[in-house]
Amino acid sequence: MTAPRNFDGADGGNFEAAFGVPPAVLAAAPGRVNLIGEHTDYTGGWVLPAAISLELRVALRYRDDLEVHGVSRETGAAEALLRAGAAGDWLDYPRGVALELAAAGRIPARGFDLQVESDLPSGAGLSSSAALAVATGLALAAAAGGRFRASERPELARICQRAESGFVGVPCGMLDPYAIACGQPGRATLLRCHDLRASTIVVPPGIGIAVLDTGVRRDLRDGRFEARTRECAEALETARAALGRPLDRLEQVNAGDLPALEAALDPVPFRRVRHVVSENERVRRFADALAADDRGALGREMYASHASLRDDYDASWPEADFLVERARGVAGVIGARMTGAGWGGCCLALYEDGTVPEPLSALVAAFAAEFGREPRVWRTQAGPGARLVSPR
Ligand code: GLA
């Protein structure tokens, strides 16, 4: 396990080394793991994520000009004018958030210096980019003398989602920024994305959350994610005509509508819709199972979610399929599935904490025998959302 480093009490020394002055603000944001509800958020549907204990930290200070300078321990240095167009580098996320915050009247439109360090692998489906956006948003507001109170965290999440889908150009939904801005320790969040109706569910003691990194990487800007959002938007148009009722989003389509949609849609868009509709139903069944601590039902929904992402959404990848298939046979594993957008990144496994022999090592060994390398494994917990470290 990689323990998150404690940033509290840090003096921003890395920022000072890079920029010659101390930072005004330090903030930290966790990654997230989506327990279930994949590729449902941008169609207004249901998700069930938790913030995790791996985190990303930023140090920030406003400048007197309109330049944005960033240094990242992981991704190097970048700079741009605040209002220049997206450059395709990591600094697009902080700039996009700053522009959204300024447009909302929350901060002045000024340049800033930013230093970043992260325990979150990027491109692994743990939302390192949303963590960067949310941490930067908190820091920019605080450095301008503002705060996002607990009740305003959903607004911060919306600002970050707009930055990523607008300025950065990845048409993502609310899953990641909401989980990261609003996460609560020990709890998963059941969220309906179109209106942000949310409730939290305690993760029962004794259920371990593990993230297994298959080591395969992808970039959400590579076009596959956008293609799925387009397929869903086009399928909604056809569904409107085929079902003959007003529909604002695929979340309003239910299982009873599927036979009529199968007749109206080509096979590929139909499979996309079938995934979205069935996944929304799985999220709600999974939420009930989590609240009731029904571990058999949790596993069934996770395996079904993975199969649907593999067969209907074409979003899984061979290493993930292998891990999930193997997980079924390991005593002490409650369930497993890919997590995040897919096409690379991590699998999630829920397991019975304290099982002997330790269940995850069997999975690691099977993966290593098949692929000749070990997956990284993080044993994590549902953790708190983003926070200001200094000034508190
Ligand atoms: C990425 C996106 C999210 C969500 C997931 C898939 O993480 O950023 O908005 O669509 O993929 O569930």
Side-chain angles (χ1 to χ4, degrees), residues 32 34 37-42 127 172-176 220 225 340-341:
R32 65 98 187 92
N34 194 17
E38 222 63 85
H39 289 286
T40 48
D41 62 346
Y42 49 82
S127 278
C172 61
M174 287 301 294
L175 164 64
D176 306 341
L220 282 192
F225 185 82

Side-chain angles (χ1 to χ4, degrees), residues 177-379:
Y178 195 98
I180 289 167
C182 307
Q184 290 187 28
R187 290 168 176 268
T189 300
L190 175 64
L191 175 71
R192 185 167 72 176
C193 292
H194 94 91
D195 57 1
L196 300 190
R197 194 173 108 196
S199 56
T200 62
I201 304 171
V202 171
V203 178
I207 294 187
I209 301 175
V211 175
L212 295 94
D213 188 350
T214 64
V216 179
R217 289 290 175 270
R218 47 81 185 141
D219 185 337
L220 282 192
R221 290 171 288 195
D222 70 8
R224 284 180 287 191
F225 185 82
E226 195 186 344
R228 289 295 177 282
T229 64
R230 210 174 36 242
E231 287 167 340
C232 286
E234 288 166 7
L236 178 63
E237 293 296 314
T238 310
R240 256 188 214 123
L243 299 176
R245 63 174 200 264
L247 286 178
D248 297 326
R249 52 189 185 276
L250 281 184
E251 187 255 329
Q252 295 164 310
V253 174
N254 52 57
D257 297 323
L258 288 177
L261 291 179
E262 187 161 19
L265 286 162
D266 286 339
V268 170
F270 174 68
R271 287 196 286 117
R272 306 300 187 236
V273 172
R274 185 166 59 188
H275 167 72
V276 171
V277 170
S278 61
E279 186 78 350
N280 277 325
E281 295 184 345
R282 280 187 289 274
V283 174
R284 278 161 294 163
R285 285 197 298 266
F286 184 98
D288 290 343
L290 194 63
D293 197 4
D294 179 345
R295 298 181 187 188
L298 291 175
R300 278 195 298 281
E301 300 305 334
M302 291 175 80
Y303 291 121
S305 170
H306 186 85
S308 177
L309 287 157
R310 182 191 60 212
D311 301 336
D312 276 353
Y313 223 68
D314 296 314
S316 79
W317 63 106
E319 288 82 350
D321 294 339
F322 177 87
L323 268 180
V324 171
E325 207 38 56
R326 279 306 168 98
R328 284 176 185 276
V330 177
V333 173
I334 295 167
R337 54 181 292 277
M338 57 160 270
T339 187
W343 305 293
C346 292
C347 288
L348 158 75
L350 298 185
Y351 63 99
E352 310 275 359
D353 213 358
T355 306
V356 181
E358 203 283 315
L360 299 174
S361 36
L363 273 182
V364 168
F367 186 96
E370 181 75 9
F371 297 107
R373 59 192 158 82
E374 290 203 348
R376 274 185 90 177
V377 178
W378 293 279
R379 291 174 184 78

